Amino acid sequence: MPSLDLGVLISGRGSNLQAILDAIAAGRLDARVRLVISNRPGVEGLARAERAGIPTRVLPHQEFADRDGFDTAAVAALREAGATWVVLAGFMRLLTTTFLDAFPHRVVNIHPSLLPSFPGVDAQQQALDHGVRITGCTVHLVDAGTDTGPILAQAAVPVLEGDDRDALAARILVQEHALLVRALSWLAEGRLQIAPSAAPGGRARATIAGVDTALGLAQGGRAPEPVGEGA
Ligand code: GRF
């Protein structure tokens, strides 16, 4: 039996979803995608899921009175499909505690920056505007803030001379696909440990036991040398 029953939430292209599907098909990730939910109809990610024979649901967010209504419907669909972990793969909506409390410490997001730098939308342009020389991507657990939850793993990507938003985004995306699959495989292996905050009101920390969760600088967009075991 696969050890991760995934629901994947998307809003668009779905290349991170594709990376998950490809890794499962290749035997590199011990998981099954039980359901793909999109808040937008007709997006490429839905076609990718359908090609892989994965059930899909479209929940147009504007048809719900509020965020809570959307989240309640999404939780019901995910539970009905048997999903016990949720991946936000380019899902461009904030989730309420209605959703997060239904999957405690089991909602995973991929973000195209080295958090806590550049949270929110268009992290790649934020990095260019700020003039950083190194950016990257982060896989983290989702909490009620915007890209603030416990970090699981990060990969560094250089900003190169002459980069525009699209060139940088493409270089980061290569690493997103690798990092997301690798992080999910660690979760499938049961390596996640959550340490509550030592200080009252502070943040919880996530630890992945026994592996190196910092991927080195990916020069020119090439995949970094494998780090840690299970590479
Ligand atoms: C990715 O860059 C992801 O990090 C961000 O949105 C983009 C989604 O790409 N949250 P895709 O839909 O997975 O191709």
Side-chain angles (χ1 to χ4, degrees), residues 84-208:
T84 55
W85 287 83
V86 178
V87 182
L88 309 185
F91 180 67
M92 304 303 283
R93 304 271 304 163
L94 293 176
L95 295 171
T96 67
T97 50
T98 297
F99 191 101
L100 298 173
D101 290 351
F103 299 98
H105 299 309
R106 285 187 166 213
V107 182
V108 176
N109 185 42
I110 174 80
H111 182 79
S113 74
L114 293 177
L115 291 170
S117 290
F118 315 131
V121 294
D122 215 350
Q124 303 94 335
Q125 187 62 52
Q126 291 186 57
L128 285 174
D129 291 347
H130 206 92
V132 296
R133 306 304 200 271
I134 298 171
T135 183
C137 53
T138 302
V139 175
H140 67 96
L141 297 178
V142 177
D143 67 10
T146 301
D147 302 321
T148 53
I151 288 170
L152 299 181
Q154 294 185 305
V157 174
V159 180
L160 302 182
E161 195 65 35
D163 265 353
D164 61 12
R165 191 246 170 233
D166 289 350
L168 179 58
R171 189 176 312 114
I172 295 171
L173 193 64
V174 173
Q175 301 308 316
E176 289 185 41
H177 297 162
L179 190 71
L180 180 58
V181 165
R182 201 179 288 196
L184 291 174
S185 73
W186 292 329
L187 299 178
E189 290 164 5
R191 293 177 183 271
L192 174 63
Q193 295 167 350
I194 304 285
S197 156
R203 63 181 58 245
R205 281 197 59 172
T207 312
I208 305 286

Side-chain angles (χ1 to χ4, degrees), residues 59-79:
L59 298 176
H61 56 269
Q62 60 276 20
E63 290 181 8
F64 295 87
D66 52 22
R67 286 186 190 280
D68 219 43
F70 176 92
D71 286 7
T72 301
V75 167
L78 289 163
R79 285 201 168 132

